[in-house]
Amino acid sequence: MNAEREGVVVVVNPVKFDLEDVRDDLRAAASAAGLEEPTLVETTEDDPGFGQAREAVRNGAALVCVLGGDGTVRAVAQELVGTGVPLGLLPGGTGNLLARNLGLPIDSLSDAAAAAFSGRDRSIDVGWMVVDPTEDQLEGALGDLDTGADNVHCFTVMAGLGFDAQIMDDAPEGVKDKAGWAAYVASGGQHLTDDPFELELSVDGTSSTSEARGVVVGNCGELTGGMELLPDAVVDDGLLDVAVISPGGLKDWLGMAARVLTGRGEGPSLDRDRGRDLTVRVEPQQLCEVDGDVLTDASRLRFVVQPGCLVVRVARDEDEG
């Protein structure tokens, strides 16, 4: 850890956990790693992790961990971008998608804490999504983008609009807690016959138009169960991958799902591309989301990648001892 910083802070969603049990597990993992007991700070209904992470950095934390869902991970990660303070990932959500894509433990708090407390640091990219950008936000370089603006949102895994956001929005929280990703499957079934929308997609200045039902932009590509929607996506390649989903009916949906499940490439109803700066225009407006957090309806989105700006604590390689 950074010698100028000390202590571990764990940002935890108190609704999902017995905090005494959590403290016991984290205390034991910290002791095994030769660390002091971590400080737990709780998220609130009004603040899912942004303020807690800022305060931890301000107070000199050497490591900030997250015990919560993908949305809590996103909130904390956004505040750690560019600080050099590592992000530790503890399993606490339905998807645990960033941890899953980094090969971290997702079934055991003790194992995940051991990796966070004794692992190595890895720098990864993040994506930024700008909702209905102003002309300045649309045309400016990443370095000119005010990432603190209300319409600018960080994502570490995936962001999207249309079908992707609708199934997130319609999966009840209580059902997700009990059924996990089955809740999204049930929700998705309600939207298979939604009307398509007009799409203009620009990838690093090259534009195309089509009809679509959903657009997903990813920093990494693996979903739960080993499914890879974006099989070429890598968290530290300086690129964002995009999938345009455009099935026309149930047969197309089934064919596309089969290709995703088997890891096969492009085909009817699923087109992929990649780039550093992407713009999406849709008619009519579509609901959008970042890392599972549903935001609002939008007619235009800009996605840009910020390479190597987030430090994440990952499991130490076996050959490092």
Side-chain angles (χ1 to χ4, degrees):
M1 292 185 185
N2 190 325
E4 298 177 358
R5 290 180 167 271
E6 293 183 353
V8 176
V9 172
V10 178
V11 179
V12 57
N13 182 340
V15 175
K16 294 178 176 287
F17 305 97
D18 182 316
L19 294 186
E20 288 307 311
D21 289 345
V22 167
R23 282 192 176 91
D24 289 343
D25 286 344
L26 294 180
R27 185 184 299 116
S31 177
L35 302 176
E36 296 293 325
E37 180 178 348
T39 299
L40 267 62
V41 293
E42 300 176 19
T43 63
T44 66
E45 186 173 348
D46 294 329
D47 191 340
F50 298 103
Q52 295 86 343
R54 281 196 301 271
E55 186 70 12
V57 172
R58 188 179 303 121
N59 290 338
L63 171 68
V64 181
C65 297
V66 181
L67 181 57
D70 291 330
T72 312
V73 172
R74 181 184 78 82
V76 173
Q78 179 163 319
E79 298 303 323
L80 296 184
V81 165
T83 67
V85 177
L87 169 68
L89 299 169
L90 307 177
T94 305
N96 301 305
L97 289 181
L98 182 57
R100 191 181 298 274
N101 277 273
L102 291 172
L104 289 167
I106 58 173
D107 298 318
S108 166
L109 175 57
S110 296
D111 291 347
F117 297 163
S118 302
R120 62 181 178 86
D121 292 341
R122 176 180 179 183
S123 295
I124 69 169
D125 310 333
V126 303
W128 295 94
M129 183 176 81
V130 189
V131 180
D132 285 328
T134 64
E135 289 306 312
D136 286 343
Q137 288 177 320
L138 188 65
E139 297 175 0
L142 172 63
D144 299 326
L145 187 64
D146 177 9
T147 55
D150 289 342
N151 66 332
V152 181
H153 307 273
C154 172
F155 62 97
T156 63
V157 181
M158 297 180 192
L161 79 161
F163 178 77
D164 173 58
Q166 288 289 354
I167 64 174
M168 299 289 181
D169 194 41
D170 287 344
E173 203 60 43
V175 177
K176 286 196 294 181
D177 290 341
K178 294 179 180 179
W181 275 80
Y184 294 121
V185 175
S187 174
Q190 303 174 35
H191 294 282
L192 296 181
T193 58
D194 285 357
D195 290 334
F197 52 85
E198 297 296 323
L199 168 68
E200 180 183 346
L201 172 65
S202 175
V203 180
D204 292 339
T206 300
S207 298
S208 62
T209 58
S210 63
E211 279 197 341
R213 295 181 183 272
V215 178
V216 178
V217 177
N219 186 42
C220 45
E222 184 178 335
L223 304 174
T224 189
M227 294 184 293
E228 290 190 305
L229 178 63
L230 298 166
D232 295 327
V234 181
V235 294
D236 55 4
D237 62 356
L239 296 169
L240 294 174
D241 288 58
V242 57
V244 176
I245 302 167
S246 55
L250 181 58
K251 182 178 179 181
D252 292 340
W253 277 110
L254 292 174
M256 185 187 72
R259 290 199 304 281
V260 171
L261 287 169
T262 58
R264 288 184 292 173
E266 295 181 9
S269 310
L270 179 62
D271 295 301
R272 299 186 178 102
D273 203 344
R274 54 207 322 240
R276 295 176 175 82
D277 194 336
L278 298 80
T279 304
V280 170
R281 297 175 189 262
V282 295
E283 176 63 39
Q285 290 188 333
Q286 297 295 313
L287 195 62
C288 61
E289 61 85 18
V290 281
D291 283 350
D293 284 343
V294 179
L295 301 179
T296 185
D297 289 330
S299 59
R300 183 165 62 177
L301 299 169
R302 183 187 181 192
F303 301 89
V304 291
V305 64
Q306 185 174 355
C309 62
L310 178 65
V311 180
V312 181
R313 187 61 57 80
V314 298
R316 187 172 296 280
D317 294 338
E318 291 183 6
D319 58 4
E320 293 184 26

